Amino acid sequence: MKIVIDTLGSDNGAKDIIDACVEIYNLKKIQFVFVGEEKFLEKQLENKIEPKDYEIINSLETISNDEDPVRAIRKKKKSSMVMAFNRLNDSDCDGLISCGSTGALLSCGIFITGRIKSIKRATLAASIPTLKGNSLLVDSGANVDCKSEFLRDFAIMGDIYSKFVFDNKKPRIGLLNIGVESHKGNKLSKETYKLLKNEKRIDFIGNIEARDILNGTADVIVADGFDGNIALKSAEGMAVAILNQLKSALKSSAKTKFAALLFKSELKNSLKVFDYKEVGGAPLLGVNKAVFKAHGNSDKRAFKNALLLLIDYIEKDVISYLKEELCLEKNL
Amino acid sequence: MKIVIDTLGSDNGAKDIIDACVEIYNLKKIQFVFVGEEKFLEKQLENKIEPKDYEIINSLETISNDEDPVRAIRKKKKSSMVMAFNRLNDSDCDGLISCGSTGALLSCGIFITGRIKSIKRATLAASIPTLKGNSLLVDSGANVDCKSEFLRDFAIMGDIYSKFVFDNKKPRIGLLNIGVESHKGNKLSKETYKLLKNEKRIDFIGNIEARDILNGTADVIVADGFDGNIALKSAEGMAVAILNQLKSALKSSAKTKFAALLFKSELKNSLKVFDYKEVGGAPLLGVNKAVFKAHGNSDKRAFKNALLLLIDYIEKDVISYLKEELCLEKNL
């Protein structure tokens, strides 16, 4: 198995990425293509990964989140993202992972790797740690102004990913909406409800409200990327706000500092369920090869967990199942 | 001042509502029209509010959240909601408050009270307790499939409400979006961005992401009701999930129970900022009279706070300013 690693674009620099790869290398037979600053990479990899098991593609250029992605990938041919995706197109490469710009990754996936025949939109499927394990949010922000058929495809792809990578035998598919009743919602959600209800390939459990996501009510949550992204970031904002308030309260006096000492480990453990670093990355579903987006601020642990998911995704040959299932109906 | 109180439709029954009204009555010169179960109300009000200061309209029928609101208000002419709104239309009544179905309240507001001339959609403006005081979310779920002009009107109404009721001299108006850059978002948010940028009546600060709502980055957050509702409920879901985990962690051993005792009051205080019961209710902006939606599970404190806001809204004659500002441009 050969994986292309875009080592640029991470908030924490390339070192954590390399360290994660080295740890995985010691566990599994994997070859790497590292794209990034050649000299730095050579130094980091020396005596850690055998020279036959890696290659380096030199690149010093990144694409930022502020740039228009489509324009950027056309203009920045020497950026690590574009070079990584070009290398992925060679038949010896099986997958790619990057911490870089989400928009650029999506654009490269669509324009360089290419969409699976019959799919109109590729989706970035975010893993959400819930009280009942991981749920998958499709779409998490890659596609806005969706049509109901796009959301139906997201549901089918999310279903397959959940089955193979999260080992859910029969994933429960829910539609993100502002009420659970079938008549609730906007034009898109009402149309999508009908499509999903009639879709035999999935176990559609109906609408789910944003407040129930973390309960693990659905294994796969289907949404337009605009709404999915708002749900994700709103929950994140609340988590940060509460934890900050909690920290201040615990630091407010000698008494509360003592209390903090007493239950620090239990608190950490109890909140671990919501730690996205346990999951680490999101697959770009609907393109012809295995592509993963790791968080921009991934540390070693987060990147390692994302890489493990990518390896699992490749080993189980999920892409083949996706192609089969998606082309089935349309006889392509 | 005369206020119509719909006493049905609260999860906690009518007693908390009456008790809140009695407390307000002892502070301010207010007359009430109570709509609900006559015998119960008579008993509750005896010797608490002078007979000259209240009347009772008997109704035993409610409209549930599951019902189609427009159909329900047409069919259930004797429901407390419909009877309350019909009474509000009389010239001696200044405002109305209800804990009942949001959809029914919105429909009654539009079809019985009537929209302000020039306004196409009335908006339910939720108050969000943030680290910097209350922010206002317009729309919080009443209107889905919005057009950019609706959102522009929401912004103007939110601005006026924030000025008068929250005493913000120059409210910062933000547009809920999935990125802060002006080119980010879906078709609606891009169109709305342009409209708000050119709108001289407000101080538009640009896009804001859902994760920044609780920081108080904007005083008024403008959104399509679908997205606004998802942002609200997603944050709520995270808050409930974290607090439940926290409670379990604090109960897990004798040591942690002791820790809980030590910092209980500080914890409570620090999380009080996010307590919606401090705010209590949401105004329905854009209709011809002062209408408030109180939370379905309001207790006495929440209802009292909502009622105080409604009184403030009436006393400051905000509706007149709304009419003036909204009709200005359109020369109506």
Side-chain angles (χ1 to χ4, degrees), chain A residues 85 88 95-96 105 109 113 282-284 287 289-293 310 313:
Chain A
F85 270 90
L88 177 67
L96 176 150
L105 179 121
T113 311
L284 179 63
V287 293
K289 285 206 168 178
V291 172
F292 252 68
K293 170 77 179 83
L310 171 60
Y313 184 58

Side-chain angles (χ1 to χ4, degrees), chain A residues 230-264:
Chain A
I230 281 179
L232 270 185
K233 286 181 182 159
S234 186
E236 185 192 329
M238 181 54 95
V240 170
I242 291 187
L243 295 180
N244 283 343
Q245 289 295 101
L246 190 61
K247 273 182 202 163
S248 305
L250 284 170
K251 279 181 189 163
S252 61
S253 71
K255 189 182 75 175
T256 58
K257 279 178 193 163
F258 180 58
L261 277 179
L262 288 177
F263 93 120
K264 206 175 172 181

Side-chain angles (χ1 to χ4, degrees), chain B residues 85-101:
Chain B
F85 270 90
N86 280 330
R87 183 69 181 85
L88 176 67
N89 266 3
D90 297 330
S91 61
D92 62 328
C93 292
D94 302 290
L96 176 150
I97 184 166
S98 172
C99 297
S101 151

